[in-house]
Amino acid sequence: TLLSSLGLGTTLTFASSHWLLAWMGLEINTLAIIPLMAQHHHPRAVEATTKYFLTQATAAAMILFASTTNAWVTGAWDMNSLSNPIASAMILAALALKIGLAPMHFWMPEVMQGLDLLTGLVLSTWQKLAPLALIIQTAQATDPLLLTVLGLMSTLTGGWGGLNQTQLRKILAYSSIAHMGWMVIVLQYAPQLTLIALLTYIFMTSAAFLTLKASSATKIGTLATIWSKSPILATTTALVLLSLGGLPPLTGFMPKWLILQELAKQSLPLVATVMALAALLSLYFYLRLCYAMTLTISPNTTTSTTPWRVQATQASFPLALATVMTLGLLPIT
């Protein structure tokens, strides 16, 4: 029931051209994921769920308020008639809060840290779809400067925030913030590039989360023990992380390349430079993970519990599919 409601909420938002229906879809979506987040009854999970619920409810209320204001001024509820500047700015702020764009990103790492890896995967991929669809539909009505500032701040925050982390889920949350920034920055010039970036991001994040799930790693320290258990997995994971960082010849290079090219075409060299430098920041912490995983031997007296070598219980097909997509899609450019 919860998973179908999760799908239903997002689909409703996709299909709607009326603000109330879009708001309803977002609301169903939030209510469906909350039990999924809290199902472990761990204090951290409950805390993360509460934080998530409060941010999402605030964002939904802002969307409702802004669309009502817009309907009050213009007399129309459909999304294309977003002519009131205050309403459009408020809606963009609310949607940015929903997907965790900086400076509304503070809930994201905290919430991610409290969840298990599969729920974290749902949160960082599926939960981004509905708000991003709304952002894409309303992007033409919003102030271009606002979108640019959101994008730049998100990539910089996603880069800076992840530098000092040791928890893998927080690192992935910051990487998610940075990727969202890349999507938003190019939105007003080439929305199709936003969709390409979203698609590649979903593949790369799925590969990363499923790998961590397969090795049940949540800290950098546990990564150092993976190579002795499953060397091939360690190799592919290092490549997946480099793909997330955006190195050629891996898939992650494609959206960055195309977005920087588009920004240069629109004669925004300074923005493109800042984005490229921010990508370096996030590349640093992906490289740190790769280093811990493939170039260090775990000390003999590890503090982490030694995992049993049992037969894997999770299906390896989704992981294999996501990994192949993450490593080999660059030629389609």
Side-chain angles (χ1 to χ4, degrees):
T1 310
L2 292 173
L3 285 173
S4 56
S5 303
L6 199 64
L8 172 77
T10 306
T11 318
L12 261 182
T13 309
F14 280 167
S16 63
S17 58
H18 189 287
W19 274 115
L20 272 182
L21 195 60
W23 168 79
M24 208 182 309
L26 291 171
E27 206 60 6
I28 292 175
N29 200 357
T30 306
L31 289 180
I33 200 174
I34 278 175
L36 292 175
M37 291 168 121
Q39 67 183 343
H40 293 285
H41 301 304
H42 192 279
R44 288 234 173 130
V46 176
E47 182 192 348
T49 312
T50 313
K51 286 177 180 168
Y52 183 75
F53 171 72
L54 289 174
T55 51
Q56 301 297 308
T58 311
M62 275 175 72
I63 290 174
L64 198 55
F65 178 59
S67 51
T68 315
T69 311
N70 186 59
W72 189 37
V73 173
T74 62
W77 275 101
D78 56 320
M79 285 181 193
N80 309 331
S81 64
L82 199 60
S83 52
N84 189 5
I86 302 174
S88 62
M90 269 186 67
I91 279 182
L92 185 66
L95 292 169
L97 175 63
K98 264 199 177 299
I99 60 171
L101 283 170
M104 286 77 95
H105 66 281
F106 293 99
W107 59 272
M108 180 96 188
E110 304 287 327
V111 169
M112 244 351 184
Q113 186 50 38
L115 305 177
D116 70 314
L117 291 165
L118 286 181
T119 323
L121 170 64
V122 172
L123 179 69
S124 54
T125 54
W126 184 254
Q127 292 298 94
K128 305 281 188 227
L129 295 179
L132 257 173
L134 292 183
I135 291 182
I136 290 173
Q137 284 181 57
T138 57
Q140 301 312 318
T142 45
D143 185 13
L145 180 66
L146 198 57
L147 283 169
T148 311
V149 166
L150 277 176
L152 279 175
M153 278 192 72
S154 297
T155 39
L156 285 168
T157 314
W160 276 123
L163 290 184
N164 238 353
Q165 302 293 340
T166 57
Q167 299 286 344
L168 297 179
R169 285 166 294 189
K170 278 196 177 170
I171 287 183
L172 282 167
Y174 279 111
S175 112
S176 166
I177 294 168
H179 279 280
M180 290 293 142
W182 279 91
M183 288 172 217
V184 168
I185 195 97
V186 79
L187 182 55
Q188 46 197 332
Y189 308 114
Q192 63 271 29
L193 285 188
T194 302
L195 291 176
I196 287 185
L198 177 65
L199 201 63
T200 50
Y201 160 75
I202 286 179
F203 279 136
M204 296 187 293
T205 313
S206 309
F209 268 108
L210 290 171
T211 311
L212 298 181
K213 181 88 177 68
S215 53
S216 63
T218 53
K219 289 197 289 296
I220 290 190
T222 19
L223 283 184
T225 59
I226 288 184
W227 65 273
S228 57
K229 283 189 300 179
S230 41
I232 298 177
L233 189 65
T235 315
T236 55
T237 312
L239 288 172
V240 163
L241 288 166
L242 292 178
S243 180
L244 267 167
L247 291 185
L250 307 167
T251 309
F253 178 56
M254 169 173 65
K256 287 191 166 51
W257 176 24
L258 294 174
I259 287 172
L260 287 176
Q261 188 181 353
E262 181 62 35
L263 288 174
K265 261 188 215 161
Q266 302 286 348
S267 63
L268 296 166
L270 192 61
V271 175
T273 312
V274 175
M275 294 295 279
L277 292 176
L280 279 181
L281 285 172
S282 30
L283 182 64
Y284 173 76
F285 58 79
Y286 296 127
L287 278 176
R288 229 173 102 215
L289 294 185
C290 285
Y291 177 73
M293 209 155 159
T294 53
L295 296 174
T296 56
I297 293 182
S298 170
N300 290 334
T301 55
T302 69
T303 49
S304 57
T305 52
T306 312
W308 290 93
R309 295 170 189 260
V310 289
Q311 209 56 41
T313 50
Q314 74 166 21
S316 53
F317 178 69
L319 170 59
L321 184 70
T323 307
V324 167
M325 293 293 193
T326 307
L327 302 184
L329 279 189
L330 188 68
I332 67 169
T333 43

